[in-house]
């Protein structure tokens, strides 16, 4: 039993191939984690780094809170099962399973107990005296599992263990492995390229593509809230239907205009609460996604505005259901590729002929919307921003039925437009704007609270849940942007960065230089704009764990920090105050350091030349060359 922590893990192979980029995950004890994605996306590399079979290029890996980057595979207490089960052909099944335990010099009695117990769990007791070649593929894979189980590992690692088996056996073994996970009560990490395997087995799934994690989520969330078009298309069979569209705001919601077919569909406003209004301008290129199971053959009761005509190309009868293949362009010849193709899951036994034109209704509650350019979802599970209509007059902003003086930092000419409020800037209080809580959902470790403020739906991201009922909300304007068309105010930037050199050695004050020192006496320093400062051990050890001294001296680093991770002090990094940002209850200074601008939280007004002092416990460090986050 173990929990694992992967922080900013990267793998760069000696040939320069970046197989894994910034992999971050907290794996809790007893999870069944599935790493899934197309071939070459970095799944096996990640698993092998966890196993200790592949060196971690950068980042930190912890097993039960203990730094484990440099632990040998044998010291990690993990067992791995591979695709090719590699049994010893000359040994009996019993001996194959017992082999590892004999090497570890366990007593004969203990070995016998463990082997028989594993055989019982896997249902292979009667084959213990056979040789591998007398067993089927599925049975041999069970033996390979048995060999892993008897070691009683903290973590079971499985790399495509079922891909050599035929379809029927794969289905059986899938449920066997799930049962095994429940019985063994240990953490499982499982690699597969098969999304069905991932969805049916995983308690948590990591979808990867081209070395990057796309989404880490529970199976149901992956299906309901894919973060981008790739995940949306990867999870679910048949694949989600995608169409290029634009959307325009209407009285009761929005109208979707399909780009490649004469089709329009209306969507009620309540199905678009999570979509920012700026996408409903009728121009912005969007992609909508509709799963085959969320499109229904229309009957007379279906609402007029939501019907789509489909020319039938083919019907696949599956027994339990039928798949209707068609085209929403009814002039199409329904042969060959087109971007107006549609797949619909229908009841089995549906009587349709090729060329028939039918009407279907998409369930717009299940609509997915993606930005055509970035392919990211525009209807996120965790809503980050709220767009609210506002008007400004004499620096008084009116929105959500209230008027408030804008702080000096947000002075804005008169006009009308939108205020964009980050969900974490919406606070539930005892005074302010009247609202009612209509829902509260836990997402990861946060709570997304749905609020109605007048006519408007707002989302608040909070650390604690909130019961349905009447509340008041307050909005932290620092984290809001205002856009009136002619004028734009950005939210306060939460991260500043400075270029830094890092040196390991001994500081020579007279020369203001870091000089060579023996390992035992060497200390880690940053050098930012000519100022050399010692790094605390906790930070230094993370840097020196990833790089040799020589590498450190050759690289460029970036230090990142929030306005609260830096302060004005007597000495330190020199800068010039460009501007004061006055938010009323809080003030910040925009300080120019070299060619960079840094935002600093200050108690009162400052001006002219100042010195900055960084709080090294609150900074981030990035290797600028490869853009690798170290801390
Ligand atoms: P997956 O398991 O998802 O199929 P891998 O983790 O095996 O992917 O590989 C990820 C990427 O790293 C691929 O582009 C692959 O070509 C590359 N790669 C894997 N092993 C090596 C290696 N030993 N040297 C160089 N590149 C490698």
């Amino acid at each position: 039993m173990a929990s694992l922590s992967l922080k900013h893990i990267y793998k760069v192979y000696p040939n320069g191939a970046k197989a894994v980029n910034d992999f971050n995950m907290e794996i809790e004890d007893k999870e069944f984690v599935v790493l899934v994605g197309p071939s070459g996306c970095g799944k096996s590399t990640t698993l092998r780094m966890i196993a200790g079979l592949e060196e971690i290029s950068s980042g930190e890996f912890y097993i039960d809170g203990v730094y484990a980057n440099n632990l040998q595979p044998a010291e990690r207490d993990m067992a791995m099962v591979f695709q090719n089960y590699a049994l010893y052909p000359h040994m009996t099944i019993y001996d194959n399973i017992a082999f590892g335990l004999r090497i570890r010099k366990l007593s004969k009695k203990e070995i016998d107990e463990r082997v028989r117990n594993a055989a019982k769990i896997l249902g292979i007791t009667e084959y213990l005296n056979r040789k591998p070649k007398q067993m089927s593929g599925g049975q041999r894979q069970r033996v390979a599992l048995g060999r892993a189980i008897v070691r009683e590992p903290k973590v079971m690692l499985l790399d495509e263990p079922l891909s050599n088996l035929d379809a029927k056996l794969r289905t059986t073994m899938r449920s066997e492995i799930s049962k095994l996970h429940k019985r063994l009560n240990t953490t499982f990490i499982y690699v597969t390229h098969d999304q069905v395997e991932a969805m049916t087995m995983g308690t948590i799934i990591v979808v990867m593509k081209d070395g990057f994690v796309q989404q880490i989520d529970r199976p149901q969330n992956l299906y309901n809230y894919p973060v981008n078009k790739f995940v949306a298309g990867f999870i679910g069979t048949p694949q989600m239907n995608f169409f290029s569209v634009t959307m325009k705001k209407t009285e009761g919601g929005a109208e979707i205009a399909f780009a490649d077919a004469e089709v329009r569909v209306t969507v009620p406003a309540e199905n678009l609460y999570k979509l920012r209004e700026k996408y409903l301008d009728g121009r912005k290129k969007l992609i909508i996604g509709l799963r085959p199971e969320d499109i229904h053959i229309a009957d007379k009761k279906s609402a007029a505005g939501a019907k789509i005509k489909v020319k039938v190309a083919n019907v696949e009868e599956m027994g339990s259901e039928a798949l209707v293949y068609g085209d929403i362009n009814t002039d199409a010849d329904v042969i060959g590729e087109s971007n107006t193709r549609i797949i619909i899951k229908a009841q089995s036994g549906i009587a349709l002929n090729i060329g028939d034109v039918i009407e279907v209704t998409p369930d717009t509650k299940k609509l997915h919307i993606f930005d055509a350019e970035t392919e990211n979802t525009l209807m996120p599970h965790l809503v980050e921003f709220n767009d609210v209509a506002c008007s400004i007059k004499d620096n008084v902003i009116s929105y959500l039925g209230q008027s408030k003086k804008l702080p000096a930092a947000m002075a804005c000419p008169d006009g009308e437009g939108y205020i964009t409020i980050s969900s974490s800037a919406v606070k539930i209080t005892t005074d302010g704007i009247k609202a009612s809580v209509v829902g509260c959902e836990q997402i990861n470790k946060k709570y997304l609270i749905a609020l109605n403020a007048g006519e408007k739906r707002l989302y608040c991201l909070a650390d604690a849940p909130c019961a349905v009922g009447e509340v008041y909300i307050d909005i932290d304007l620092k984290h809001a942007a205002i856009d009136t068309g002619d004028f734009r105010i950005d939210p306060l930037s939460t991260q500043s960065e400075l270029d830094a050199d890092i040196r390991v050695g001994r500081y020579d004050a007279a020369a203001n230089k870091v000089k060579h020192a023996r390992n035992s006496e060497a200390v880690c320093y940053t050098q930012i704009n000519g100022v050399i400062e010692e790094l605390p051990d906790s930070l230094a050890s993370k840097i020196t764990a990833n790089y040799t001294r020589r590498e450190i001296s050759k690289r460029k680093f970036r230090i990142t920090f929030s306005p609260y991770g830096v302060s004005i002090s007597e000495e330190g990094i020199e800068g010039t105050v460009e501007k004061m940002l006055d938010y009323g209850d809080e003030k910040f200074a925009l300080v120019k350091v070299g060619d960079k601008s840094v935002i600093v939280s200050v108690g009162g007004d400052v001006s002219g030349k100042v010195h900055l002092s960084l709080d090294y416990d609150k900074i981030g460090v990035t290797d600028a060359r490869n853009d690798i986050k170290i801390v």
Side-chain angles (χ1 to χ4, degrees), residues 13 15 17 19 38-46 191:
Y13 280 110
N15 66 359
S39 172
C41 71
K43 312 178 288 285
S44 296
T45 302
T46 306
V191 161

Side-chain angles (χ1 to χ4, degrees), residues 469-494:
E470 301 301 305
V471 291
Y472 288 93
I473 53 170
D474 186 30
I475 283 153
D476 186 351
L477 288 176
K478 278 199 300 295
H479 302 301
I482 296 174
D483 193 342
T484 61
D486 320 318
F487 196 79
R488 204 189 138 75
I489 294 172
D490 288 324
L492 178 74
S493 154
T494 51

Side-chain angles (χ1 to χ4, degrees), residues 496-501 528-529 557-561 566 573 591-598 612 614 620 622:
S496 301
E497 62 172 49
L498 287 172
D499 295 329
D501 287 327
I528 304 172
N529 254 29
F557 294 89
R558 270 198 314 266
I559 307 281
T560 51
F561 46 90
V566 58
I573 305 153
V591 180
K592 191 110 183 156
V593 177
D595 58 353
K596 294 259 162 78
S597 289
V598 170
L612 301 179
L614 287 168
T622 302

